[in-house]
Amino acid sequence: MERVIKSGMGWRIGWNPDAPEFKGLLGTDDWAIELTEAELNEFYRLFTQLANTMKHLATELMDAEKIACEAESNLLWMEVEGYPHAYNLRFILNTGRGAEGKWEASAIPELLQAIGMLKVF
């Protein structure tokens, strides 16, 4: 398998199965961080969970209501904030490197779709 980098307006993700430790990459046009396979898998799991929560809440909230939801594991803390159909995503890496990143609402649909196709988790 070979290295894959996908990008769009305001987001980048990558996967390099041959890398010794940091096989994943997350970022925007302005920043990027390499992740271990476990961290990338956890990012995908929590991101999917939060996206599904926001989709579910869309039926229960008024159009003008904003909401914030968090999810956390020992590897990552993540938060979505905004409207069910348009929200920002933020994460903090809980492991040694202690990085933080954020994507704007406009990047979220493509990022969610791309990370699902990046590799078989």
Side-chain angles (χ1 to χ4, degrees):
M1 203 165 155
E2 62 185 59
R3 182 177 166 186
V4 177
I5 301 257
K6 294 180 179 281
S7 62
M9 290 288 289
W11 63 270
R12 282 188 291 165
I13 59 171
W15 174 248
N16 182 357
D18 299 326
E21 184 177 4
F22 299 108
K23 296 178 186 291
L25 176 94
L26 290 175
T28 68
D29 300 333
D30 302 320
W31 62 267
I33 181 171
E34 293 181 325
L35 300 179
T36 65
E37 184 171 5
E39 290 164 347
L40 187 65
N41 287 341
E42 196 64 357
F43 178 86
Y44 175 73
R45 186 182 74 80
L46 294 176
F47 186 13
T48 304
Q49 179 182 317
L50 288 167
N52 288 337
T53 298
M54 291 301 266
K55 192 184 296 185
H56 175 73
L57 290 174
T59 61
E60 300 179 14
L61 296 174
M62 305 282 282
D63 286 345
E65 269 187 287
K66 278 189 172 181
I67 190 161
C69 295
E70 305 180 2
E72 186 169 15
S73 73
N74 59 334
L75 297 176
L76 291 166
W77 172 88
M78 294 176 69
E79 177 186 60
V80 289
E81 184 177 21
Y83 303 103
H85 61 279
Y87 50 87
N88 298 333
L89 172 68
R90 209 161 62 100
F91 80 96
I92 296 174
L93 196 56
N94 288 336
T95 52
R97 298 177 319 284
E100 183 174 347
K102 179 182 180 180
W103 292 269
E104 297 302 321
S106 58
I108 299 304
E110 284 185 8
L111 177 62
L112 185 60
Q113 183 180 15
I115 197 166
M117 296 185 307
L118 186 62
K119 70 181 206 70
V120 177
F121 285 88

